[in-house]
């Protein structure tokens, strides 16, 4: 059986549906027809508001009809259709949202007097509609303004409808009893619409108060401040308050901004960047903004409490980006705004930031954390900030005056100035900084590929230096900023010739020199100039990027306290629960810290629980891959500095050595960082610290545990440098591979002097009339496919394991051919390995080999992996030789020692 309340709900929905239909025809359609012309901004805005109200009214009618159908179905078949099928119960939240949309669109029209202004255009029509409106609404008199009648016509039915919803749903909950399976749905719906009643009263009161405010302001102020969505929350004419130091004549608190009126001046402050400080006494509270600080005081202590509470709740609401429900300050979100937030602000006061727009993280009114600064003249800065100043790693672009190009500075900043190791582009500078100027040893790389190294003072190069041109000519001596040779020096040309003397330039006549040209020298090894490395030894690797390592060391030395961890991670961590709910967290779109990094104590405990080698590597892998873990944050920052240094113009072959030793240093520093955290964890537990490692043990741990985990973060830029450095040899190798690929299998084996009894002819599947001499890419196929996997990993150890398996596949194939286990001597292995390498066709094999050699665990030196890599190097060198590229090969190999 259906309850009386359900029957009453059916009648209520039917009546409301009919009312909405009549209001649409009597009010909304005529209002749209009477809307102001859309030729001016206000006319367009008014038309937009009325159109939105019409759409929301239609949506409200649609959901009411849907609810009506569910009620009819329930009353028609009560035994088959349960109470939970009612739209009001199973979709109460959706019904609520439709009502809220209608209410919001209506309130926007009220706030800017859209009804009154539209009604003036057809005043005679509206006076004639009073009788029809009285049939729909109660309380519509023949007196009063048309605007008031329209306001009542669009509000009264909704207010009455929601009120009846609440009464009937509460009654229904009492009727069905506490044990009914749908009681929770009924109570939930009744609670939602009860809250909607409260929200409606607040929203309509705010809209009415906002409408009344505009009539008290001048037209100029109205034009600046009036927007449909803006609501007045408090006016100092209602509750007086004194604001210093501005001495504002009137203070207006809106739901999105605080406005101070002072004569003809308007001071507007975005609430998202307003911080409330309660102060030490009860008579004053303070507001902090990016450039101002105000005190609010009042003789009326209760009135001051109202102001402080409303400002605080308005800030919270603005940060959440939606209105509190059901009333201001009564939402589920925290009632205190977070001290750390994300937002954008354009500075107006004189100073370095004047007219610059900062977008990023803030802390108590100051840029703090990650952010971006942009000036109107094209300058911009991206990086870390601390208490309003650039502090930490940052990248700044400065436009050049004469061209559409930028100087790019990527370095560490301290209290607003460049300081320590860093780089600069337009051209790229890698070296030391002091007080925003290049100062100390440095290396420059130009877009044309020219490199020079020397000493800088006050942003200028002083004394002699080294200049490497793009054709691998080398100059040692003095030169000007525009790379003109000037003074004493020596040029070494790629062919070995040298020119030593005094250099200068004559206007319009090019380079002038007096000196000695030596043409008797033997041609140098090509690697002597084209592979010359810059920067190594000039600034030792351990002295670089101290601005990145330093904060982490300070953090560990201090025992990993929470406040330093906040600075280390680049944002203020309150508690994980508060952070998850705060607007700062929402704006930054971060994953839950408690799900990822957790509390510092948990992180330290995890280190204690995973100290065995295998468990430790998994623990390190997890930590380094998590940017909210201190180790992961450190790796992320180091990766950024590495990309900034060696990508783009920094991808220069003469910097390969600098980059390679930097990666190793980063791995070593990350291991030291882990060791530091572990010592803190032991200290917190009251346990004795671990003994210091000797250098050999440390190096083994770094290469075996850390380097394989961090190398992928730097691999792209690092391998590019290896490609550039070994481009010439790889080109010769590629020619040799191309020529060898023309041979069928048996011809290539014969060409390489592989003994015929080792040929795996049984592996060759022949088709009809096919001969062995025509088959291609079938011999030693398993070894070839195995070697090709070398390029699928970046870990040098895994590459060496691939090489070991390749050797195993070659021996296994030979043993199968011979029908017995067979160990290959060197003179048999080398031609077979050349065969496999030629068939695998690995691109840039020279770069691969040298990277493996440089990054290989020193534990493998002199062992099997070392010998296998040496054999691969020998194959690589043989394939480069001219006789390989001309299809000729010596008939004997140099050794018959067993492998």
């Amino acid at each position: 059986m259906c309850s009386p309340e359900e029957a009453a709900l059916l009648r209520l929905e039917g009546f409301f549906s009919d009312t909405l239909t009549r209001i649409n025809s009597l009010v909304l359609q005529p209002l749209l027809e009477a809307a102001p012309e859309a030729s001016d901004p206000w006319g367009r805005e008014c038309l937009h508001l009325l159109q939105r109200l019409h759409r929301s009214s239609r949506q409200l009618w649609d959901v009411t009809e849907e609810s009506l159908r569910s009620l009819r179905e329930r009353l028609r078949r009560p035994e088959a259709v349960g109470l939970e099928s009612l739209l009001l119960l199973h979709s109460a939240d959706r019904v609520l949202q439709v009502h809220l949309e209608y209410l919001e669109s209506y309130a926007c029209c009220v706030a800017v007097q859209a009804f009154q202004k539209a009604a003036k255009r057809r005043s005679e029509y509206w006076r004639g509609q009073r009788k029809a409106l009285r049939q729909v609404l109660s309380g519509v008199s023949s007196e009063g303004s048309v605007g008031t009648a329209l306001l009542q016509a669009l509000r009264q039915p909704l207010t009455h409808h929601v009120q009846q919803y609440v009464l009937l749903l509460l009654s229904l909950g009492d009727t069905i009893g506490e044990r009914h399976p749908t009681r929770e749905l009924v109570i939930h719906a009744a609670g939602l619409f009860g809250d909607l009643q409260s929200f409606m009263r607040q929203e309509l009161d705010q809209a009415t108060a906002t409408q009344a405010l505009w009539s008290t302001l001048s037209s100029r102020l109205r034009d600046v401040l009036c927007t449909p969505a803006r609501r007045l929350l408090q006016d100092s004419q209602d509750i007086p308050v004194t604001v210093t130091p501005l001495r504002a004549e009137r203070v207006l608190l809106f739901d999105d901004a605080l406005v101070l009126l002072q004569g003809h001046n308007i001071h507007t402050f975005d609430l998202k960047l307003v911080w409330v400080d309660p102060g030490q006494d009860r008579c004053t509270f303070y507001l902090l903004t990016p450039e101002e600080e105000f005190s609010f005081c009042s003789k009326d202590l209760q009135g001051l409490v109202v102001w402080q509470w409303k400002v605080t709740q308005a800030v919270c609401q603005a940060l959440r980006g939606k209105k509190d429900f059901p009333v201001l300050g009564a939402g589920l979100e925290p009632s205190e705004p977070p001290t750390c937030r994300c937002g954008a602000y354009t500075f107006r006061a004189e100073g370095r930031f004047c007219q610059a727009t900062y977008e990023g993280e803030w802390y108590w009114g100051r840029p703090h954390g990650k952010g971006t600064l942009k000036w109107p003249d094209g300058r911009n800065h991206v990086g870390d900030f601390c208490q309003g100043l650039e502090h930490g790693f940052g990248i700044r672009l400065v436009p050049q005056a004469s061209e559409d190009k930028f100087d790019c500075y990527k370095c560490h900043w301290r209290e607003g100035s460049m300081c320590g190791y860093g780089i600069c582009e337009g051209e790229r500078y890698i070296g030391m900084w002091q007080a925003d100027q290049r100062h100390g040893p440095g290396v420059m790389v130009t877009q044309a590929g020219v490199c020079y190294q020397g000493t800088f003072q006050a942003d200028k190069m002083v004394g002699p230096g080294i200049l490497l041109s793009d054709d691998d000519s080398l100059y040692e001596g003095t030169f000007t900023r525009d790379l003109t040779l000037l003074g004493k020096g020596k040029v070494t040309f790629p062919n070995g010739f040298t020119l030593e003397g005094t250099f200068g330039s004559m206007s319009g006549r090019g380079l002038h020199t007096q000196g000695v040209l030596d043409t008797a020298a033997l041609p140098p090894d090509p690697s002597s100039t084209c592979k010359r490395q810059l920067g190594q030894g000039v600034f030792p690797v351990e002295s670089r990027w101290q601005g990145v390592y330093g904060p982490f060391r300070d953090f560990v030395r201090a025992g990993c306290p929470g406040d330093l961890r906040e600075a280390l991670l680049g944002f203020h961590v309150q508690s994980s629960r508060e952070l998850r709910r705060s607007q700062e967290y929402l704006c930054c779109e971060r994953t839950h810290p408690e799900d990822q990094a957790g509390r510092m104590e948990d992180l330290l405990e995890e280190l204690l629980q995973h100290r065995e080698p295998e468990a430790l590597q998994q623990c390190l892998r997890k930590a380094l891959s998590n940017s909210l873990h201190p180790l992961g944050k450190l790796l992320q920052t180091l990766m950024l500095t590495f990309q900034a240094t060696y990508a783009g113009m920094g991808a220069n072959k003469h910097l390969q050595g600098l980059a390679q030793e930097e990666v190793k240093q980063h791995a070593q520093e990350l291991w030291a960082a882990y060791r530091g955290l572990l010592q803190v964890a032991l200290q917190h537990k009251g346990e004795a610290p671990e003994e210091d490692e000797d250098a050999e043990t440390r190096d083994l741990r770094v290469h075996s545990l850390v380097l394989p985990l961090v190398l992928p973060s730097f691999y792209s830029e690092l391998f590019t440098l290896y490609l550039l450095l070994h481009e010439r040899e790889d080109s010769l190798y590629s020619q040799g591979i191309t020529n060898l690929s023309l041979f069928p299998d048996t011809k290539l084996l014969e060409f390489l002097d592989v003994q015929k009894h080792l040929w795996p002819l049984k592996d060759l599947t022949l088709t009809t009339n096919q001969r062995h001499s025509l088959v291609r890419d079938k011999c030693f196929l398993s070894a070839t496919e195995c070697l090709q996997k070398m390029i699928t990993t970046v870990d040098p150890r895994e590459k060496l394991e691939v090489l070991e398996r390749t050797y195993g596949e070659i021996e296994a194939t030979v043993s199968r051919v011979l029908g017995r286990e067979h160990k290959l001597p060197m003179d048999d292995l080398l031609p077979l390995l050349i065969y496999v390498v030629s068939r695998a066709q690995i691109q840039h094999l020279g770069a691969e080999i040298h990277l493996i050699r440089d990054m290989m665990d020193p534990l493998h030196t002199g062992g099997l992996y070392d010998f296998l890599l040496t054999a691969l190097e020998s194959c690589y060198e043989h394939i480069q030789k001219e006789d390989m590229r001309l299809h000729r090969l010596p008939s004997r190999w140099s050794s018959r020692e067993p492998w």
Side-chain angles (χ1 to χ4, degrees):
M1 292 290 293
C2 292
S3 64
E5 289 82 5
E6 293 174 77
L9 280 171
L10 177 67
R11 293 191 297 273
L12 177 66
E13 295 287 51
F15 177 76
F16 189 54
S17 177
D18 292 342
T19 301
L20 287 174
T21 301
R22 298 183 67 183
I23 287 176
N24 183 63
S25 61
L26 287 174
V27 179
L28 290 177
Q29 287 291 354
L31 272 175
L32 284 172
E33 295 170 4
E37 297 292 337
S39 56
D40 62 282
W42 159 243
R44 289 191 293 272
E45 186 65 48
C46 184
L47 179 61
H48 170 75
L49 291 173
L50 293 174
Q51 288 172 338
R52 178 187 172 190
L53 180 61
H54 183 262
R55 287 194 302 271
S56 62
S57 174
R58 179 69 189 185
Q59 291 170 353
L60 186 58
W61 183 85
D62 288 341
V63 81
T64 304
E65 282 291 301
E66 189 177 348
S67 175
L68 192 59
R69 288 193 295 272
S70 69
L71 283 161
R72 286 171 179 162
E73 186 66 16
R74 163 72 176 156
L75 267 64
R76 189 171 68 85
R77 298 190 300 151
E79 302 299 330
V81 180
L83 188 61
E84 68 278 2
S85 67
L86 298 184
L87 182 74
L88 277 176
L89 301 186
H90 70 74
S91 298
D93 293 279
R94 181 164 71 88
V95 176
L96 174 70
Q97 290 304 316
V98 174
H99 282 74
L100 288 174
E101 171 59 26
Y102 177 83
L103 178 63
E104 183 179 350
S105 58
Y106 170 78
C108 286
C109 291
V110 171
V112 297
Q113 297 183 312
F115 300 132
Q116 293 90 327
K117 294 175 182 178
K120 287 181 180 179
R121 297 177 60 84
R122 298 181 64 184
S123 55
E124 292 297 326
Y125 168 82
W126 293 113
R127 281 194 287 271
Q129 293 298 315
R130 287 181 185 274
K131 182 176 180 180
L133 289 175
R134 282 200 297 272
Q135 295 175 0
V136 180
L137 308 170
S138 60
V140 176
S141 65
S142 57
E143 305 297 329
S145 69
V146 172
T148 302
L150 294 178
L151 287 173
Q152 190 176 358
L154 293 166
R155 179 179 61 192
Q156 189 185 87
L158 180 66
T159 305
H160 176 265
H161 185 62
V162 173
Q163 181 184 30
Q164 292 302 306
Y165 264 171
V166 176
L167 294 175
L168 289 174
L169 287 169
L170 289 174
S171 178
L172 179 60
D174 293 337
T175 300
I176 62 178
E178 293 185 359
R179 296 187 177 181
H180 196 279
T182 58
R183 177 175 171 78
E184 288 189 7
L185 288 176
V186 174
I187 297 303
H188 174 68
L192 281 182
F193 289 104
D195 289 344
L196 178 59
Q197 277 189 295
S198 301
F199 185 79
M200 286 176 62
R201 286 192 290 269
Q202 174 185 271
E203 180 71 3
L204 295 174
D205 288 347
Q206 289 178 358
T208 302
T210 306
Q211 181 192 94
L213 168 69
W214 305 134
S215 62
T216 69
L217 301 178
S218 66
S219 58
R220 187 181 72 87
L221 292 179
R222 281 200 304 272
D223 291 341
V224 173
L225 297 176
C226 182
T227 63
R230 177 168 282 173
R231 299 289 179 273
L232 178 67
L233 303 183
Q234 192 61 60
D235 187 343
S236 63
Q237 288 191 348
D238 299 326
I239 300 181
V241 67
T242 301
V243 179
T244 55
L246 281 180
R247 295 290 180 182
E249 299 166 2
R250 191 172 184 181
V251 183
L252 301 174
L253 176 63
F254 293 101
D255 57 357
D256 65 332
L258 178 70
V259 176
L260 307 182
L261 301 181
Q262 187 183 39
H264 296 292
N265 296 322
I266 306 173
H267 304 276
T268 304
F269 303 94
D270 183 356
L271 289 181
K272 292 179 181 178
L273 293 176
V274 170
W275 282 258
V276 183
D277 182 358
Q280 300 298 318
D281 57 63
R282 302 176 61 192
C283 301
T284 307
F285 70 91
Y286 302 90
L287 295 186
L288 278 70
T289 72
E291 295 185 271
E292 305 282 354
E293 182 175 342
F294 310 106
S295 64
F296 278 56
C297 56
S298 174
K299 296 179 180 179
D300 178 9
L301 188 60
Q302 187 62 36
L304 190 68
V305 170
V306 171
W307 266 103
Q308 182 177 336
W309 183 85
K310 283 198 173 182
V311 171
T312 300
Q313 300 311 314
V315 170
C316 288
Q317 182 175 262
L319 287 170
R320 285 190 284 271
K322 60 180 180 180
K323 294 190 176 181
D324 290 350
F325 186 83
V327 293
L328 183 68
L332 297 176
E333 302 293 340
S335 59
E336 291 295 326
T339 54
C340 278
R341 310 170 190 171
C342 283
Y345 180 81
T346 300
F347 291 89
R348 297 183 294 270
E350 291 298 323
R352 290 195 308 115
F353 290 177
C354 183
Q355 296 185 328
T357 298
Y358 173 81
E359 184 173 2
E361 296 172 324
W362 298 78
Y363 179 68
W364 279 111
R366 300 291 180 266
H368 190 90
K370 304 294 183 185
T372 300
L373 267 175
K374 294 183 178 180
W375 283 265
D377 62 7
R379 289 176 295 154
N380 68 73
H381 180 96
V382 179
D384 295 325
F385 291 78
C386 181
Q387 294 299 321
L389 295 173
E390 306 94 321
H391 192 88
F393 182 74
I395 301 175
R396 175 162 295 184
L397 294 178
V398 179
Q400 296 178 357
S402 59
E403 303 178 62
D404 187 21
K405 295 181 181 179
F406 290 83
D407 289 330
C408 179
Y409 302 89
K410 303 177 182 179
C411 59
H412 185 74
W413 296 68
R414 184 178 297 276
E415 297 178 354
S417 297
M418 289 181 279
C419 181
Y421 184 78
I423 61 175
C424 169
E425 292 180 358
E427 56 197 7
R428 176 157 300 182
Y429 170 81
I430 303 171
M432 305 306 294
W433 294 85
Q434 181 176 303
D436 281 351
Q437 294 183 324
R438 290 168 287 195
H439 193 89
V443 173
M444 297 288 280
V445 182
T446 70
Q447 287 183 334
V450 178
C451 304
Y452 52 104
Q453 173 181 306
T455 302
F456 291 79
Q457 287 184 4
D459 221 31
K460 296 181 179 179
M461 189 169 179
V462 296
I466 296 174
L467 179 66
L468 278 167
S469 66
D470 56 352
D471 68 351
D472 293 325
S473 294
L474 170 66
Y475 173 76
E476 298 167 281
T478 56
F479 43 88
T480 64
R481 172 64 195 273
D482 63 359
L483 307 184
T484 300
L485 308 189
L486 182 66
K488 292 183 178 181
K490 176 182 178 181
V491 178
T492 302
F493 298 99
N495 62 2
F497 293 1
T498 63
L499 176 60
E500 187 169 3
T502 303
F503 298 85
S505 61
M506 302 179 66
S507 178
R509 299 177 62 182
L511 182 67
H512 173 75
T513 182
Q514 287 184 338
V516 178
L517 176 64
D518 183 1
T519 61
L522 294 175
D525 180 350
S527 64
S528 63
T529 53
C530 74
K531 292 188 177 181
R532 180 184 290 266
Q533 295 299 295
L534 299 179
Q536 291 179 294
V538 178
F539 19 79
V541 65
E542 60 271 9
S543 69
R544 303 176 210 161
W545 301 118
Q546 290 304 307
V548 177
Y549 300 137
F552 193 94
R553 295 192 188 110
D554 294 340
F555 170 65
V556 172
R557 276 195 291 265
C560 305
D563 56 344
L564 279 185
R565 181 180 178 229
E566 297 160 9
L568 182 71
L569 294 180
F571 64 94
H572 185 74
V573 179
Q574 299 163 51
S575 73
S576 56
R577 186 176 299 276
E578 291 171 351
L579 182 60
R580 184 170 67 247
R581 290 180 175 178
S582 72
Q583 177 65 14
E584 172 225 357
Y585 174 81
L586 296 174
C587 284
C588 295
E589 299 182 345
R590 295 188 172 97
T591 53
H592 293 177
E594 64 182 14
D595 297 337
Q596 294 289 331
R599 295 183 300 116
M600 195 65 216
E601 291 80 0
D602 295 336
L603 300 179
L604 296 175
E605 180 64 28
E606 188 173 10
L607 296 181
L608 290 175
Q609 299 300 322
H610 300 83
R611 296 161 70 180
E612 294 302 319
E614 186 173 343
L616 173 56
Q617 190 160 40
Q618 292 303 317
C619 179
L620 288 174
R621 186 188 306 275
K622 179 181 176 183
L624 291 169
S625 63
N626 182 358
S627 62
L628 293 181
H629 191 290
L631 290 176
K633 177 65 176 180
L634 180 57
L635 175 59
Q636 187 182 59
T637 307
L638 293 173
M639 180 175 66
L640 178 61
T641 63
F642 194 82
Q643 291 172 345
T645 307
Y646 301 109
M649 273 190 292
N652 188 289
K653 62 186 179 182
H654 301 296
L655 302 181
Q656 179 269 341
L658 208 62
Q660 177 251 119
E661 64 182 13
E662 203 165 290
V663 171
K664 290 182 178 179
Q665 181 67 17
H666 289 339
Q668 186 170 310
E669 290 286 350
L670 285 163
W671 176 250
Y674 158 74
R675 294 275 299 170
L677 291 176
L678 180 61
Q679 301 292 37
V680 172
L682 292 170
Q683 181 182 359
H684 285 191
K685 287 289 186 179
E687 300 180 22
E690 287 193 345
E691 295 182 1
D692 291 339
E693 295 177 316
D694 58 71
E696 183 179 357
T697 302
R698 180 201 63 199
D699 291 344
L700 289 175
R701 289 295 187 94
V702 169
H703 278 84
S704 62
L705 289 175
V706 184
L707 191 58
L709 297 179
V710 304
L711 188 56
S713 299
F714 310 107
Y715 191 80
S716 178
E717 291 76 22
L718 182 63
F719 190 66
T720 298
L721 295 174
Y722 275 89
L723 292 179
L724 296 171
L725 187 63
H726 301 286
E727 185 176 21
R728 178 180 176 277
E729 302 97 297
D730 274 338
S731 176
L732 297 175
Y733 157 80
S734 180
Q735 294 175 29
I737 288 294
T738 300
N739 290 334
L740 294 177
S741 68
L742 301 175
F743 286 93
D745 286 356
T746 55
K747 292 293 185 181
L748 182 55
L749 290 170
E750 181 181 8
F751 176 73
L752 295 174
D753 274 354
V754 176
Q755 299 184 53
K756 289 193 176 181
H757 70 282
L758 302 181
W759 293 10
L761 298 180
K762 295 178 181 179
D763 294 343
L764 307 184
T765 304
L766 302 179
T767 59
T768 306
N769 297 326
Q770 188 177 23
R771 293 176 297 173
H772 283 115
S773 60
L774 298 179
V775 177
R776 191 190 306 270
D777 299 330
K778 296 296 183 183
C779 290
F780 296 97
L781 182 59
S782 61
T784 301
E785 291 176 343
C786 184
L787 185 61
Q788 288 171 336
K789 294 177 182 177
M790 179 181 285
I791 62 173
T792 64
T793 179
V794 302
D795 186 350
R797 180 175 54 192
E798 293 180 357
K799 290 178 183 290
L800 289 170
E801 290 171 353
V802 168
L803 185 57
E804 182 183 21
R805 291 196 298 272
T806 301
Y807 167 66
E809 290 292 341
I810 294 174
E811 278 206 335
T813 300
V814 171
S815 297
R816 189 176 68 254
V817 170
L818 298 177
R820 56 182 172 82
E821 186 176 345
H822 181 72
K823 294 294 182 181
L824 290 168
M826 186 59 164
D827 63 340
D828 286 341
L829 173 65
L830 196 57
L832 286 174
L833 191 56
I834 292 177
Y835 173 89
V836 171
V837 170
S838 68
R839 288 306 194 222
Q841 297 189 349
I842 296 176
Q843 297 295 312
H844 314 297
L845 183 60
E848 292 277 2
I849 291 172
H850 285 88
L851 186 142
I852 295 171
R853 176 69 73 188
D854 290 341
M855 295 293 169
M856 187 171 67
D857 191 334
L859 184 65
H860 300 312
T861 302
L864 175 61
Y865 285 157
D866 195 357
F867 286 115
L868 288 174
L869 188 59
T870 301
L872 185 62
E873 287 174 321
S874 182
C875 293
Y876 175 72
E877 291 167 1
H878 275 294
I879 293 174
Q880 292 179 58
K881 291 180 178 179
E882 187 176 3
D883 48 12
M884 280 285 189
R885 291 180 281 126
L886 297 178
H887 299 176
R888 295 194 305 272
L889 193 70
S891 61
R892 298 187 58 84
W893 298 96
S894 59
S895 172
R896 297 198 63 83
E897 295 296 324
W899 178 249

